[in-house]
Amino acid sequence: MTSVPHELEPGTRLFSIELDEVQLEHLVRWAGAVDDYEPLHYDERAAAARGLDGPVVHGPWKASVLARALVEAVEADARITQLTCHYRRPDFVGDRLTFQAEVTEVIPRHDDLQVECAVRVIGEGGMETVVGGATLMLPRKNEEHCEGAQLVTQVMLDRLNYGQEAGRFTYRIQENDLERFHASIGPVDELDPRPSVTVSGGMEVAPPTYYMAIDPVERRDLDIEGFVYQVPYPIVGGGNAFNEVEYERPIVVGDLVTVSTSFTEVYEKVGRSGQLLFRVRSNVLTDLRDEVIARSRMGHAIAYDLSERNMP
Amino acid sequence: MKHLIVDEVEVGDELPSLVKVPSTQQLVRYAGAANDYSSIHFDDRHARRRGFDGVIVHGALKAAFLGQMLTEWCADAGWVKRFDVRYHSIDVPNRPLVCRGRVESIEPAGEPQRIELLIWVENPEGKKSTTGTATIVLGAPPLPRGPDE
């Protein structure tokens, strides 16, 4: 049994359980328990009629074995809040199966430790027959494991105007801006150095990632993140984690785009290189008519080494 | 399929790959064009203090490469409505990065039709340093009636 929680970190193997031989009785018991009497799972002839070598192990049975092993691998009061299984290949009665789970992420939440896991079942030939993921919520009992939770403080959240608009800036989109942006990505034809700006309906359309170029924080128009350098631990890594955008329409030359930005998630989690402070900003881009052009989310992480405290 | 042909596109189709070898000059150009002046992309000494061998490629530039692959592929047949990327590992300049994409689904229900894609950047070791998904909506994009009116 794995002791919780300080041994839980990305890469921790939660369990690897071998079942020497799936018995027909396993499947018949499952069929009875879930009231599913599809003969494919217990009748050799029905299986043969479908061109299969024998009765096929129920996918949900394999998922249930994973689910039970997950709870047993941690603590009785852990909750599985999500389990996703993709059934890649069939397994058959008599097969040797290996059930495995490994921690991929540990995220301290307010009352719980959220543990993300990768799960899999390896079948007779060593091939993955089930792959998926699970989310476990473990109650946080003491502070021993979350010393780093001091990274996110109320002062920090207040400074970011957490959950509310942190800033609002307006940018005029000019032809030169788009040409420069296109040229910096690289011309379509390397022999033709002219930047190619996409034209649609007579309008020059910005590239899909142009929204990042009018982000007030990346541009330092809104200088609000200085607090990250005031956290009393050395920075050992970090950077962009993700970017997402959904457009209602493309950005075009001539647009006057107002970008409203707010911090919608600030949290920390255990990473490979240290304690990671994540901040997610959501931007809404609107035009002169106050119609939404796009909504975006940008995630950034900074890793701190908690074992070493900076001198004040 | 060099470009998206609406009547021929199928689930599983691969997009033409786009190879980029970003130089340090390109990083500086991108920093200027995108107003992204994080020093880890142009200051070698700063990058070394942060534990890297030298400057690293902007995640946003890798996303922009993927964006270029998408817009070149769909050309006039559609537009990029939704686009997300996750940055898994860093890339360094002067090494080839290969942008790839694959059609995951084609949604016939509803107008206009949508194509869902998986997109990623492969480093020279064949590892996916950046992955994402995108939605292309077929047809011309909606445009503002007159932005300056």
Side-chain angles (χ1 to χ4, degrees), chain B residues 55-97:
Chain B
V55 296
I56 62 173
V57 180
H58 299 77
L61 180 57
K62 294 188 273 182
F65 292 157
L66 289 170
Q68 184 190 342
M69 173 184 72
L70 290 170
T71 48
E72 280 182 21
W73 183 64
C74 67
D76 292 334
W79 65 288
V80 180
K81 158 102 175 138
R82 199 193 52 73
F83 185 92
D84 67 69
V85 282
R86 276 170 166 60
Y87 308 109
H88 305 289
S89 51
I90 60 137
D91 285 297
V92 298
N94 303 315
R95 299 205 320 158
L97 301 176

Coordinates of all heavy atoms in Angstrom, one line a residue, chain B residues 55-97:
Chain B
V55 N 19.5 30.3 -25.5 CA 18.1 30.8 -25.6 C 17.2 29.6 -26.2 O 17.7 28.7 -26.8 CB 18.0 32.0 -26.6 CG1 18.8 33.2 -26.0 CG2 18.5 31.7 -28.0
I56 N 15.9 29.8 -25.9 CA 15.0 28.7 -26.3 C 13.9 29.4 -27.2 O 13.7 30.6 -27.2 CB 14.3 28.0 -25.1 CG1 13.5 29.0 -24.2 CG2 15.4 27.3 -24.3 CD1 12.7 28.4 -23.2
V57 N 13.3 28.5 -28.0 CA 12.3 29.0 -29.0 C 11.0 29.4 -28.2 O 10.6 28.6 -27.3 CB 12.0 27.9 -30.0 CG1 10.9 28.4 -31.0 CG2 13.3 27.5 -30.7
H58 N 10.4 30.5 -28.6 CA 9.1 30.9 -28.0 C 8.1 29.7 -28.2 O 7.9 29.3 -29.4 CB 8.5 32.1 -28.7 CG 9.2 33.3 -28.6 ND1 10.3 33.6 -29.4 CD2 9.0 34.5 -27.9 CE1 10.8 34.8 -29.1 NE2 10.0 35.4 -28.2
G59 N 7.3 29.4 -27.2 CA 6.2 28.4 -27.4 C 5.3 29.0 -28.4 O 4.8 28.4 -29.3
A60 N 5.0 30.3 -28.3 CA 4.1 31.0 -29.2 C 4.5 31.0 -30.6 O 3.7 30.9 -31.5 CB 3.8 32.4 -28.7
L61 N 5.8 30.9 -30.8 CA 6.3 30.8 -32.2 C 6.0 29.4 -32.8 O 5.6 29.3 -33.9 CB 7.8 31.2 -32.3 CG 8.5 31.1 -33.7 CD1 7.8 32.0 -34.7 CD2 9.9 31.5 -33.6
K62 N 6.2 28.4 -31.9 CA 5.9 27.1 -32.4 C 4.4 27.0 -32.7 O 4.0 26.4 -33.7 CB 6.3 26.0 -31.3 CG 7.8 26.0 -31.2 CD 8.2 24.8 -30.2 CE 8.2 25.2 -28.8 NZ 8.7 24.1 -27.9
A63 N 3.6 27.6 -31.9 CA 2.1 27.7 -32.2 C 1.9 28.4 -33.5 O 1.0 28.0 -34.3 CB 1.4 28.4 -31.0
A64 N 2.6 29.5 -33.7 CA 2.4 30.2 -35.0 C 2.8 29.4 -36.2 O 2.2 29.4 -37.2 CB 3.3 31.5 -34.9
F65 N 3.9 28.5 -36.0 CA 4.2 27.6 -37.1 C 3.1 26.7 -37.4 O 2.7 26.4 -38.6 CB 5.5 26.8 -36.7 CG 6.8 27.6 -36.6 CD1 7.8 27.1 -35.9 CD2 6.9 28.8 -37.3 CE1 9.0 27.8 -35.8 CE2 8.1 29.5 -37.2 CZ 9.2 29.0 -36.5
L66 N 2.5 26.2 -36.3 CA 1.3 25.3 -36.5 C 0.2 26.0 -37.2 O -0.5 25.5 -38.1 CB 0.9 24.7 -35.2 CG 1.8 23.6 -34.6 CD1 1.4 23.3 -33.1 CD2 1.9 22.4 -35.4
G67 N 0.0 27.3 -36.8 CA -1.0 28.1 -37.4 C -0.8 28.3 -38.9 O -1.7 28.2 -39.7
Q68 N 0.5 28.5 -39.3 CA 0.9 28.6 -40.7 C 0.5 27.4 -41.4 O 0.0 27.4 -42.5 CB 2.3 29.0 -40.8 CG 2.7 29.2 -42.3 CD 4.2 29.3 -42.5 OE1 5.0 29.5 -41.6 NE2 4.6 29.2 -43.8
M69 N 0.9 26.2 -40.8 CA 0.6 24.9 -41.5 C -0.9 24.8 -41.8 O -1.4 24.4 -42.8 CB 1.0 23.8 -40.6 CG 0.6 22.4 -41.1 SD 1.1 21.1 -40.0 CE -0.1 21.4 -38.6
L70 N -1.7 25.2 -40.8 CA -3.2 25.1 -40.9 C -3.7 26.1 -42.0 O -4.5 25.7 -42.8 CB -3.9 25.4 -39.6 CG -3.7 24.4 -38.5 CD1 -4.2 25.0 -37.1 CD2 -4.4 23.1 -38.8
T71 N -3.3 27.3 -41.9 CA -3.8 28.3 -42.9 C -3.4 28.0 -44.3 O -4.1 28.1 -45.3 CB -3.5 29.7 -42.5 OG1 -2.1 29.8 -42.3 CG2 -4.3 30.2 -41.3
E72 N -2.1 27.5 -44.5 CA -1.7 27.1 -45.8 C -2.5 25.9 -46.3 O -2.8 25.8 -47.5 CB -0.2 26.7 -45.8 CG 0.7 27.9 -45.8 CD 2.1 27.5 -45.9 OE1 2.5 26.4 -46.3 OE2 3.0 28.4 -45.5
W73 N -2.8 25.0 -45.4 CA -3.5 23.8 -45.9 C -5.0 24.2 -46.2 O -5.5 23.8 -47.3 CB -3.6 22.8 -44.7 CG -4.2 21.5 -45.1 CD1 -3.8 20.6 -46.1 CD2 -5.4 20.9 -44.5 NE1 -4.7 19.5 -46.1 CE2 -5.7 19.7 -45.2 CE3 -6.3 21.4 -43.5 CZ2 -6.8 18.9 -44.9 CZ3 -7.4 20.6 -43.2 CH2 -7.6 19.4 -43.9
C74 N -5.6 24.9 -45.4 CA -7.1 25.2 -45.7 C -7.2 26.3 -46.7 O -8.3 26.3 -47.4 CB -7.9 25.3 -44.5 SG -7.6 26.8 -43.5
A75 N -6.2 27.1 -46.9 CA -6.3 28.2 -47.9 C -7.6 28.9 -47.9 O -8.1 29.4 -46.9 CB -5.9 27.6 -49.3
D76 N -8.3 28.9 -49.1 CA -9.6 29.6 -49.2 C -10.8 28.6 -48.8 O -11.9 29.1 -48.8 CB -9.8 30.1 -50.6 CG -8.9 31.2 -50.9 OD1 -8.4 31.9 -49.9 OD2 -8.6 31.4 -52.1
A77 N -10.5 27.4 -48.5 CA -11.6 26.4 -48.3 C -12.2 26.5 -46.9 O -13.3 26.0 -46.7 CB -11.1 25.0 -48.6
G78 N -11.5 27.2 -46.0 CA -12.0 27.3 -44.6 C -11.2 28.2 -43.8 O -10.2 28.8 -44.3
W79 N -11.5 28.3 -42.5 CA -10.7 29.2 -41.6 C -10.6 28.6 -40.3 O -11.4 27.7 -39.9 CB -11.4 30.6 -41.6 CG -12.7 30.6 -40.9 CD1 -13.9 30.2 -41.5 CD2 -13.1 31.1 -39.6 NE1 -14.9 30.4 -40.6 CE2 -14.5 31.0 -39.4 CE3 -12.3 31.7 -38.6 CZ2 -15.1 31.3 -38.3 CZ3 -13.0 32.1 -37.4 CH2 -14.4 31.9 -37.3
V80 N -9.6 29.0 -39.5 CA -9.2 28.4 -38.3 C -10.1 29.1 -37.2 O -9.9 30.2 -36.8 CB -7.8 28.6 -37.9 CG1 -7.5 28.0 -36.5 CG2 -6.9 28.0 -39.0
K81 N -11.1 28.3 -36.7 CA -12.0 28.9 -35.7 C -11.5 28.7 -34.3 O -11.7 29.5 -33.5 CB -13.4 28.1 -35.9 CG -14.3 28.1 -34.8 CD -15.4 29.1 -35.0 CE -16.5 29.0 -33.9 NZ -16.9 30.4 -33.5
R82 N -10.9 27.5 -34.1 CA -10.5 27.2 -32.7 C -9.1 26.6 -32.8 O -8.8 25.8 -33.7 CB -11.5 26.2 -32.1 CG -11.4 26.1 -30.6 CD -12.2 24.9 -30.1 NE -11.8 23.7 -30.8 CZ -10.6 23.1 -30.5 NH1 -9.8 23.5 -29.6 NH2 -10.3 22.1 -31.2
F83 N -8.3 26.8 -31.8 CA -6.9 26.4 -31.8 C -6.4 26.3 -30.4 O -6.5 27.3 -29.7 CB -6.2 27.5 -32.6 CG -4.7 27.3 -33.0 CD1 -4.4 26.7 -34.2 CD2 -3.8 27.8 -32.1 CE1 -3.0 26.6 -34.5 CE2 -2.4 27.6 -32.4 CZ -2.1 27.0 -33.6
D84 N -5.8 25.2 -30.0 CA -5.2 25.1 -28.7 C -3.9 24.4 -28.8 O -3.7 23.5 -29.6 CB -6.1 24.5 -27.6 CG -6.4 23.1 -27.9 OD1 -5.4 22.3 -27.7 OD2 -7.5 22.7 -28.2
V85 N -2.9 24.8 -28.0 CA -1.6 24.1 -28.0 C -1.2 24.0 -26.5 O -1.5 24.8 -25.7 CB -0.5 24.9 -28.7 CG1 -0.7 24.7 -30.2 CG2 -0.5 26.4 -28.3
R86 N -0.5 22.9 -26.3 CA 0.2 22.6 -25.0 C 1.7 22.5 -25.2 O 2.1 21.8 -26.2 CB -0.4 21.4 -24.4 CG -1.6 21.7 -23.7 CD -2.5 20.7 -23.2 NE -3.5 21.3 -22.2 CZ -4.3 22.2 -22.6 NH1 -4.4 22.7 -23.8 NH2 -5.2 22.7 -21.7
Y87 N 2.4 23.1 -24.3 CA 3.9 23.1 -24.5 C 4.5 22.1 -23.5 O 4.4 22.2 -22.3 CB 4.5 24.5 -24.2 CG 3.8 25.5 -25.1 CD1 2.9 26.5 -24.5 CD2 3.9 25.6 -26.5 CE1 2.3 27.4 -25.2 CE2 3.3 26.5 -27.2 CZ 2.5 27.5 -26.6 OH 1.8 28.4 -27.4
H88 N 5.0 21.0 -24.1 CA 5.5 19.9 -23.2 C 7.0 20.0 -22.9 O 7.5 19.7 -21.9 CB 5.2 18.5 -23.9 CG 3.8 18.4 -24.2 ND1 2.9 18.2 -23.2 CD2 3.1 18.4 -25.4 CE1 1.7 18.1 -23.8 NE2 1.8 18.2 -25.1
S89 N 7.8 20.4 -24.0 CA 9.2 20.5 -23.7 C 9.8 21.7 -24.6 O 9.1 22.0 -25.6 CB 10.0 19.2 -24.0 OG 9.6 18.7 -25.3
I90 N 10.9 22.2 -24.2 CA 11.5 23.3 -24.9 C 12.1 22.9 -26.2 O 12.5 21.7 -26.4 CB 12.5 24.0 -24.0 CG1 13.7 23.1 -23.7 CG2 11.9 24.6 -22.8 CD1 15.0 23.7 -23.8
D91 N 12.3 23.8 -27.1 CA 13.1 23.6 -28.3 C 14.1 24.7 -28.4 O 13.9 25.8 -27.9 CB 12.2 23.6 -29.5 CG 11.4 22.3 -29.6 OD1 12.0 21.2 -29.8 OD2 10.2 22.4 -29.6
V92 N 15.3 24.3 -29.0 CA 16.4 25.3 -29.1 C 16.5 25.7 -30.6 O 16.1 25.0 -31.5 CB 17.7 24.7 -28.6 CG1 17.5 24.4 -27.1 CG2 18.1 23.5 -29.3
P93 N 17.1 26.9 -30.8 CA 17.2 27.4 -32.2 C 18.1 26.5 -33.1 O 18.9 25.7 -32.5 CB 17.7 28.8 -32.1 CG 18.0 29.0 -30.7 CD 17.6 27.9 -29.9
N94 N 18.0 26.7 -34.4 CA 18.9 26.0 -35.4 C 18.8 24.5 -35.4 O 19.7 23.9 -35.9 CB 20.4 26.4 -35.1 CG 20.5 27.9 -35.2 OD1 20.0 28.6 -36.0 ND2 21.2 28.5 -34.2
R95 N 17.7 24.0 -35.0 CA 17.4 22.6 -35.2 C 16.0 22.5 -35.9 O 15.1 23.3 -35.6 CB 17.4 21.9 -33.9 CG 18.7 22.0 -33.1 CD 18.9 20.8 -32.2 NE 17.7 20.4 -31.5 CZ 17.6 19.2 -30.9 NH1 18.6 18.3 -31.0 NH2 16.5 18.9 -30.2
P96 N 15.9 21.5 -36.8 CA 14.6 21.4 -37.5 C 13.5 21.0 -36.7 O 13.6 20.0 -35.9 CB 14.9 20.4 -38.6 CG 16.1 19.6 -38.2 CD 16.9 20.5 -37.3
L97 N 12.4 21.7 -36.8 CA 11.1 21.4 -36.1 C 10.1 21.0 -37.2 O 10.0 21.8 -38.1 CB 10.6 22.6 -35.3 CG 11.6 23.1 -34.2 CD1 11.0 24.3 -33.5 CD2 11.9 22.0 -33.2

